[in-house]
Amino acid sequence: MCGIIAITTRRKTNVSKMITSGLKRLEYRGYDSVGIATISEGKIQTMKDAGTIDQVTSRLSFDTLEGSTGIGHTRWATHGPPTRINAHPHADCSDSLMVVHNGIIDNYLSLRNDLKKQGHKFKSETDTEVLAHLIEEEFKSEKGPNAVIQAFKKALDKIEGTYAITLIHTADPTKIFLARKDSPLVIGVQDDTKFAASDIPAFLEYTKNAIVLKNGEVATLTPEAVYIEKNGFRVQPKPFIVSWTAESAQKSGYPHFMLKEIHEQPIALQNTLNVNVKALEEATKRILEAEKIIILAAGTSYHAGLSGYYQFQRLLKQKPIYPIIASEYETYNHLVDENTCILAVSQSGETLDVMKGLTAARKAGAKIISIANVIDSSIPRLSQVALYTKAGPEIGVAATKTHTAQVALLARLSLQLEYSLNVWNQQEFSSIITDFTSEVPSITRTVINQNEFKAKQLASIISDQNHSYFLARGKNLPIAMEGALKLKEISYIHAEAFPAGESKHGPIAIVEPKFPVFIISPKDETRKKMFSNSEEMKARGGYIISITHKDQEIVKRSDQSFLIPESSSPLITPISYVIPLQMISYYAAVHRGFDPDKPKNLAKTVTVE
Ligand code: F6R
């Protein structure tokens, strides 16, 4: 939530153009307002306004901002509506400094009152502006070459909450100052240019050398150097080379990132299933050693975790396993002790609800395994074992390729568990893994190719509807839940998923002619009961859309059917079945005239509670 980019360069160039292109790559993190500030000839220049980057750049010429040091921000509003005044960057009273911030300053009201009493004049309703005035206030009593960083650190000591901050100051015009607590910041390194950003794609077109700023660290960037400190001591930076390509963060001819990312699934799955076997074995050992397992995640990642839950409980029979929505963690904290293993699932690796749960669980002595897509992000760093999906950067706000990659990795983990539990001998296991690894990407490719046209047609049929249901039973429930989340978040058609048997306990009351009812019905133990549940809906006029393994019994009860090839393993079902639902949601959003990459009120990487 909120995208930050800061650049300082020795080159004789205006950084405003580079900052604008970096902001475009961060727009998935927030798009209700945007702004840039630079320092040129010792003076701050700034432009900002409400709207998306395209809307704002059609009114303001960011490119005309001069200077080779600057910061930019794309906002997802928390404090104060999305207006020009509330857009970042925020200045102090004398326009000698500018800050951009991602996170929430919990004690901003009391700080604001104190600062007002000291004579500071506030312009915006944001929590962030407090920072600018606090630094200004602290700077008054600082002298010498380190005055800005000293004032910055003193201001940080006074704030409570979460933050990723970048600061520029006319007293130190070629430097950028950064700090992080629970909101991500990554540094990009080139010989004569340094970057700081909320996420790697922001600077990927310039450099692949990166350093993750860790919690509690404060950094100073000059065009030539990176200086990091924590609690007053210098920290040796640990640079790494990013494996993502610049092209992977571009639309490459697709109209939207979401469609591109749906189509990237075969390769994302192939890469993900090329696993780090050592880490997988270590995760398996921890799961088997633990007395109980908690699966912790939010949103789409929670649905992947829920698929994992159904796989694990089949194998671990007596062991308690609790799938928990991360924001609800506190309710379950009493279950957690040193014999608990937490399995955290997160695309970004930065979701604050998950991080808060993990921090509490660590205090209780729990061991942590994580699945994340972003290398070295906060959640893997809180873990004893870090497993990675290798889906590449996901820019569309709605998670697609990272979801199927999470499900695939969890399925692979459950196969590893089967092996450790002696369900298979070595030879059988090798052949199962070979088949699984090749079948997952190839079925995914087939499902995309065979169903995209139909998904587009169906989207136009259901686009005038305001409500829809997604029904499944047992282990197929996460597929229905994910289908409903995708449809509602980008097309704004209200969508609800529930166990099919629950229909007659309430939800069927609102079914009327043309009401879309999605029936998730693979050829498994749930299928016969799904027949009668679809009949009940059809009898009330429901428009039945089934996702099925060419099951004629279900096809003949449906108005539309999406046919999924059968596979050698039921573990593939939650991957292959979700794909038509992603495509229907995408085309429904487009048909209704909405941008699927930027759903209203949402942003990717939720770094607030
Ligand atoms: C929906 C979506 C969100 C995320 C959720 C968790 O399409 O993307 O529901 O799944 O915010 O985010 P991560 O996976 O980054 O922890």
Side-chain angles (χ1 to χ4, degrees):
M1 289 195 156
C2 297
I4 290 177
I5 173 145
I7 305 176
T8 183
T9 183
R10 187 59 68 205
R11 288 179 222 163
K12 297 217 171 328
T13 178
N14 290 336
V15 281
S16 49
K17 206 169 177 180
M18 291 161 88
I19 292 177
T20 311
S21 88
L23 285 175
K24 285 273 332 153
R25 307 213 185 292
L26 290 174
E27 213 180 3
Y28 61 88
R29 302 177 69 90
Y31 29 85
D32 57 40
S33 46
V34 57
I36 295 181
T38 55
I39 300 186
S40 174
E41 293 176 2
K43 284 213 170 77
I44 299 268
Q45 302 192 350
T46 186
M47 282 184 189
K48 59 183 188 176
D49 208 347
T52 63
I53 296 175
D54 285 343
Q55 287 163 349
V56 174
T57 48
S58 70
R59 296 191 292 269
L60 305 173
S61 306
F62 283 143
D63 291 5
T64 59
L65 292 172
E66 291 168 349
S68 44
T69 301
I71 55 179
H73 187 268
T74 174
R75 180 171 185 243
W76 186 87
T78 57
H79 294 67
T83 58
R84 195 187 74 76
I85 296 291
N86 289 331
H88 298 215
H90 290 285
D92 60 342
C93 296
S94 56
D95 275 351
S96 55
L97 66 91
M98 283 278 175
V99 287
V100 295
H101 163 226
N102 171 23
I104 289 183
I105 298 171
D106 295 330
N107 59 338
Y108 85 103
L109 272 179
S110 64
L111 290 171
R112 188 179 165 109
N113 287 338
D114 293 349
L115 287 159
K116 273 185 174 172
K117 281 183 203 145
Q118 290 169 293
H120 289 265
K121 300 266 178 292
F122 281 80
K123 298 188 191 86
S124 77
E125 298 157 78
T126 63
D127 52 340
T128 304
E129 195 185 348
V130 154
L131 262 171
H133 294 278
L134 254 186
I135 299 165
E136 178 182 32
E137 191 56 37
E138 297 296 341
F139 187 71
K140 287 178 188 163
S141 48
E142 295 296 332
K143 285 192 186 64
N146 295 326
V148 179
I149 185 80
Q150 291 303 349
F152 185 37
K153 287 194 286 188
K154 284 189 179 160
L156 292 174
D157 285 343
K158 296 202 166 138
I159 60 174
E160 289 159 18
T162 59
Y163 51 79
I165 304 164
T166 65
L167 158 74
I168 50 174
H169 200 298
T170 50
D172 237 338
T174 58
K175 288 185 186 155
I176 289 167
F177 303 92
L178 340 167
R180 104 161 253 188
K181 184 174 167 240
D182 291 339
S183 294
L185 263 186
V186 192
I187 297 167
V189 181
Q190 256 187 343
D191 288 350
D192 57 356
T193 309
K194 302 292 173 284
F195 304 80
S198 304
D199 204 353
I200 291 163
F203 54 72
L204 206 47
E205 66 182 291
Y206 304 106
T207 180
K208 286 186 163 207
N209 295 318
I211 300 164
V212 174
L213 195 70
K214 306 205 175 72
N215 261 349
E217 289 181 346
V218 177
T220 306
L221 308 184
T222 66
E224 290 81 19
V226 175
Y227 181 90
I228 303 179
E229 57 183 298
K230 186 171 184 178
N231 301 327
F233 295 100
R234 183 160 195 179
V235 173
Q236 209 43 50
K238 291 205 182 87
F240 66 99
I241 309 284
V242 180
S243 62
W244 297 348
T245 60
E247 298 72 55
S248 63
Q250 284 160 8
K251 282 189 201 155
S252 313
Y254 285 91
H256 298 101
F257 279 110
M258 183 175 174
L259 189 62
K260 176 183 176 236
E261 287 158 6
I262 288 172
H263 279 266
E264 280 173 346
Q265 287 179 107
I267 185 78
L269 289 162
Q270 186 179 315
N271 291 341
T272 297
L273 289 173
N274 181 10
V275 286
N276 174 345
V277 177
K278 258 199 152 153
L280 205 63
E281 284 170 352
E282 180 62 21
T284 308
K285 187 169 144 266
R286 301 253 180 191
I287 289 173
L288 293 175
E289 273 168 10
E291 283 175 10
K292 49 184 142 32
I293 317 286
I294 286 182
I295 300 175
L296 195 70
T300 286
S301 295
Y302 174 74
H303 300 152
L306 208 51
S307 272
Y309 161 74
Y310 284 104
Q311 294 156 19
F312 295 166
Q313 57 133 35
R314 172 179 58 87
L315 295 170
L316 302 175
K317 297 186 176 74
Q318 304 302 325
K319 196 171 289 204
I321 311 175
Y322 307 93
I324 294 176
I325 289 183
S327 55
E328 290 291 301
Y329 174 83
E330 272 172 33
T331 316
Y332 301 89
N333 194 34
H334 66 281
L335 296 173
V336 179
D337 58 23
E338 59 280 5
N339 298 316
T340 308
C341 176
I342 312 265
L343 177 55
V345 187
S346 171
Q347 179 279 129
S348 60
E350 300 288 350
T351 299
L352 192 60
D353 288 328
V354 181
M355 279 164 61
K356 289 264 154 134
L358 292 185
T359 308
R362 266 167 70 115
K363 270 196 193 132
K367 311 292 176 301
I368 296 163
I369 302 170
S370 61
I371 292 185
N373 194 48
V374 179
I375 305 280
D376 211 22
S377 48
S378 299
I379 290 169
R381 268 192 278 113
L382 284 168
S383 318
Q384 272 84 21
V385 186
L387 302 173
Y388 286 103
T389 49
K390 296 173 195 152
E394 189 174 67
I395 313 286
V397 166
T400 52
K401 61 176 179 173
T402 57
H403 172 72
T404 47
Q406 289 166 342
V407 177
L409 191 51
L410 285 159
R412 178 65 183 80
L413 182 57
S414 71
L415 289 173
Q416 198 71 32
L417 279 168
E418 286 181 357
Y419 178 57
S420 297
L421 292 167
N422 298 320
V423 178
W424 315 109
N425 65 31
Q426 171 67 53
Q427 214 180 350
E428 290 165 330
F429 181 61
S430 302
S431 117
I432 285 170
I433 296 300
T434 309
D435 290 350
F436 184 74
T437 310
S438 68
E439 224 178 316
V440 169
S442 79
I443 287 192
T444 307
R445 194 168 289 115
T446 308
V447 174
I448 296 171
N449 292 341
Q450 291 182 347
N451 290 288
E452 185 163 6
F453 183 65
K454 202 171 179 123
K456 200 169 177 174
Q457 281 182 320
L458 178 74
S460 69
I461 297 171
I462 62 165
S463 277
D464 59 349
Q465 295 297 306
N466 293 322
H467 303 278
S468 61
Y469 282 159
F470 287 71
L471 272 53
R473 281 174 176 262
K475 63 180 190 295
N476 303 319
L477 204 53
I479 305 169
M481 292 167 77
E482 179 55 12
L485 178 62
K486 280 300 86 102
L487 188 65
K488 84 177 92 163
E489 72 176 328
I490 57 166
S491 78
Y492 318 141
I493 298 173
H494 169 233
E496 217 178 308
F498 49 87
E502 278 292 285
S503 307
K504 45 203 171 297
H505 298 289
I508 203 166
I510 63 164
V511 174
E512 56 184 13
K514 288 173 78 181
F515 189 111
V517 181
F518 289 83
I519 299 285
I520 313 300
S521 185
K523 268 192 192 153
D524 61 18
E525 66 288 353
T526 67
R527 97 182 240 276
K528 286 215 171 118
K529 286 189 180 161
M530 290 305 292
F531 296 165
S532 48
N533 295 133
S534 27
E535 295 282 8
E536 291 157 7
M537 290 292 178
K538 203 167 171 54
R540 272 88 191 167
Y543 188 78
I544 309 297
I545 305 138
S546 59
I547 321 290
T548 164
H549 283 135
K550 299 186 184 143
D551 184 338
Q552 286 314 314
E553 287 302 317
I554 203 82
V555 170
K556 73 184 183 204
R557 289 173 169 87
S558 311
D559 295 287
Q560 297 272 346
S561 292
F562 288 81
L563 305 179
I564 309 297
E566 282 186 62
S567 52
S568 63
S569 165
L571 294 175
I572 299 178
T573 303
I575 302 168
S576 55
Y577 269 56
V578 91
I579 289 165
L581 303 176
Q582 297 171 340
M583 294 193 294
I584 294 163
S585 305
Y586 169 79
Y587 283 110
V590 172
H591 198 267
R592 284 161 69 94
F594 303 122
D595 180 349
D597 284 345
K598 298 192 197 88
K600 67 176 178 204
N601 306 335
L602 292 178
K604 217 170 174 70
T605 312
V606 182
T607 50
V608 292
E609 275 180 282

